Amino acid sequence: MAKRSESYSERRKNAMYAKAEPWQNRIAAFVFIMLMCVQPLFLTPQRYIGLTKQKFVFFVVCMAFAALLAIIVWLYRLTRTPSLLPQEPMALADWAVLGFALVTLISALFSPYRKETNVWIGIPEPEGRYDGALTQMLYVVAYFIISRWYKPKTRDTALFGICAVVVALLGILQFYGMDFLKLWPNDMREYHVENFYEIFFRSTLGNTNIVSTYVCVAILLCGFMYVRVKSKWQPVWLAASALNFWLMELADADSGRVGVAAALLLMIPFIIQNRRTIGRTLILAGSWLVVYALQKLLYDVNILGARTISSLGLYLVAAAAALAAGIALTVIRGGGRGSRSGRAGRAGAAWTGSEAADDSAAQDPAVIRRKALAGVLLVVAIIAAGFSAVEILGKREAEKESPGGIIYEIREVLHGSIADELGTNRVYIWRNALKALPKNPIIGSGPDTFLNAFPQEAQRYYGQEYDKAHNEYIQILICQGIIGLFCYLVFIVAVAVKAIPAALRDPLAMAALAAFAGYCVQAFFNISVPIGSQMLWVIAGALLNRSREVSSAASKGGALLTAR
């Protein structure tokens, strides 16, 4: 009798939990869709007037609503099914995020500039960034909702791809003078394309720094979803990646370029796991070359009145070669019925949405490790070749009367010549910002108080005020101190360490890891605002949650199905 009663009690608890779980998933999906898909597109009738404030208010409202629902569901579970809490043990990344939140709160409470600046909201209008303690805390809330409750879905990334296509098209059409939604104020709607770089806002995002953050994430997340997930949404992901690559070039987004290039380099060990992945990567690269050539053709013909045939021809030949090789690799079939690759193909068929022929998840773990090691060696070889190319090409540029360009700057840095003007005066900002650290080294000067902390004698040296470090890590170091930066870096490293093994087995984890890596690299040259930065916390949460599922499936010896 006792055994029967216990069984009934467990069934009752599981039934109550079953009522709460769908709500958890809906809340997490709401956060993902609002912050990843809707917020970048969101604009009020004011359009670009107070753009950052519009996005900030939207972010706060969405997260307040999600947090309220999350508290209600959590309390329901706590009162009805207390034995099932917590659902998952705390990971190192979770503790690091809690530490970061605590330091942010203490830093805001004890900021020496709290009477001069609203440390909770951030710098107010007209130059407001709205990156204060409230924004930071809501990032943390978003992370925990996603990392605990979100079930990654292919359709969610497809929706993100559709929204990314819209964002990119609006920016591209603006470049060529077609502002169909009349986003520009009346006195800015008539402009020549050569003045595009002098105009502050682009698409529905903001200035080129914010565009860099968004396009870097969109290019990589959509690109690797196309590369790794077999789905009816592949054309959407490919289009989103290519069009955002186009927007990145038109916006001259250097930090985005660095983020994409670095992420591609770091993802090579994951790309070479099978020939179809390599093939689709070549198709993806070919699509980027096509839009780059198209951009060059349109810009040269319509504005400069001359075509640079040699360069254009080189891009087109490279695009054709990449596309041809990629298509060939994707249509090659695996071995016969009795071969090892044939057996791997049949095992891989258990994966919904991934490759059934030779998916790396269906291979022996030893094979995966060997290919990953080969990829690491290839990365090292590419880096060595890259340094050689930078030295040769940078030396040629240095011999010119007025040297410039990113390759020249990289060579100068490698030779120890780090001028203040490098990176659009970023080195000047970083050097002077670090001078402020000794004043508040432990918990920093307070969230979004960089404008106050930056040495006043160094302000406006280049004719502008500096309210951001243009380096998210230095920004955190100055505003939230050494402890805040330590917690943030532990969070980044802990997520990456957990995600790397999962990315070798799971398509969604691989795509999320690529976007995560790209964001972390571009952040070294960029700013944090609640227009694009919220994507890092959402992606990190989804990546950690997915990694748990992959690890659990692997420990049980089963195949993890890719969510539809």
Side-chain angles (χ1 to χ4, degrees), residues 310-348:
S310 59
S311 297
L312 181 62
L314 179 62
Y315 297 134
L316 291 175
V317 169
L323 291 172
I327 293 171
L329 286 172
T330 55
V331 299
I332 294 175
R333 296 186 178 275
R337 178 177 294 272
S339 68
R340 179 171 183 172
S341 60
R343 293 192 300 272
R346 290 191 297 276

Side-chain angles (χ1 to χ4, degrees), residues 137-476:
M137 294 298 181
L138 291 178
Y139 287 157
V140 171
V141 173
Y143 163 78
F144 274 108
I145 290 176
I146 295 293
S147 66
R148 292 284 163 166
W149 292 348
Y150 183 62
K151 302 297 182 184
K153 297 289 190 295
T154 300
R155 64 171 179 265
D156 294 343
T157 54
L159 179 59
F160 174 77
I162 293 170
C163 294
V165 166
V166 175
V167 170
L169 282 176
L170 288 173
I172 292 168
L173 293 174
Q174 278 181 328
F175 182 89
Y176 296 106
M178 293 172 279
D179 189 21
F180 294 123
L181 297 183
K182 298 182 180 179
L183 296 174
W184 304 112
N186 291 328
D187 59 342
M188 295 176 64
R189 286 180 191 160
E190 297 296 331
Y191 67 94
H192 198 265
V193 68
E194 289 181 323
N195 303 125
F196 181 79
Y197 299 111
E198 303 300 323
I199 296 175
F200 197 62
F201 290 140
R202 295 162 174 81
S203 186
T204 58
L205 299 171
N207 66 27
T208 186
N209 294 309
I210 301 168
V211 171
S212 289
T213 300
Y214 181 84
V215 297
C216 179
V217 171
I219 290 168
L220 292 168
L221 182 58
C222 293
F224 277 90
M225 286 299 292
Y226 166 77
V227 164
R228 197 65 176 81
V229 180
K230 187 175 182 180
S231 166
K232 64 181 180 181
W233 298 109
Q234 279 185 304
V236 171
W237 292 321
L238 182 61
S241 185
L243 289 173
N244 276 274
F245 187 89
W246 193 347
L247 177 59
M248 180 177 71
E249 292 305 309
L250 293 179
D252 199 22
D254 282 339
S255 58
R257 290 168 178 157
V258 173
V260 170
L264 284 176
L265 187 64
L266 294 173
M267 294 303 291
I268 286 177
F270 305 89
I271 292 172
I272 67 170
Q273 289 298 313
N274 64 64
R275 57 179 167 271
R276 291 180 185 247
T277 301
I278 297 173
R280 291 208 183 110
T281 303
L282 289 173
I283 293 174
L284 179 65
S287 72
W288 295 346
L289 288 169
V290 168
V291 298
Y292 189 82
L294 181 60
Q295 164 216 332
K296 190 172 183 62
L297 175 64
L298 292 174
Y299 187 82
D300 286 355
V301 170
N302 294 342
I303 305 305
L304 303 181
R307 302 185 188 184
T308 52
I309 298 296
S310 59
S311 297
L312 181 62
L314 179 62
Y315 297 134
L316 291 175
V317 169
L323 291 172
I327 293 171
L329 286 172
T330 55
V331 299
I332 294 175
R333 296 186 178 275
R337 178 177 294 272
S339 68
R340 179 171 183 172
S341 60
R343 293 192 300 272
R346 290 191 297 276
W351 287 63
T352 302
S354 60
E355 291 302 329
D358 56 351
D359 198 290
S360 62
Q363 296 176 3
D364 186 275
V367 176
I368 297 177
R369 287 194 292 270
R370 285 198 296 271
K371 290 184 177 181
L373 177 60
V376 170
L377 295 176
L378 181 58
V379 169
V380 173
I382 292 174
I383 291 175
F387 280 143
S388 300
V390 166
E391 177 62 28
I392 295 171
L393 297 176
K395 184 177 181 180
R396 292 178 183 175
E397 184 66 27
E399 293 171 352
K400 296 181 180 179
E401 185 176 347
S402 300
I406 190 170
I407 293 180
Y408 167 75
E409 292 186 353
I410 293 174
R411 181 180 181 272
E412 290 295 294
V413 171
L414 293 177
H415 281 256
S417 177
I418 307 177
D420 286 344
E421 295 78 17
L422 293 180
T424 321
N425 308 329
R426 276 168 170 74
V427 172
Y428 173 83
I429 301 173
W430 299 345
R431 279 176 172 164
N432 284 279
L434 292 176
K435 294 178 182 177
L437 181 62
K439 294 182 180 179
N440 304 282
I442 307 303
I443 59 172
S445 59
D448 208 16
T449 58
F450 187 86
L451 178 65
N452 307 92
F454 193 80
Q456 294 304 303
E457 65 274 11
Q459 284 282 12
R460 304 196 67 82
Y461 183 80
Y462 286 97
Q464 61 182 3
E465 287 187 330
Y466 302 110
D467 60 352
K468 283 287 188 179
H470 290 271
N471 179 312
E472 289 190 26
Y473 306 101
I474 293 179
Q475 177 82 18
I476 294 173

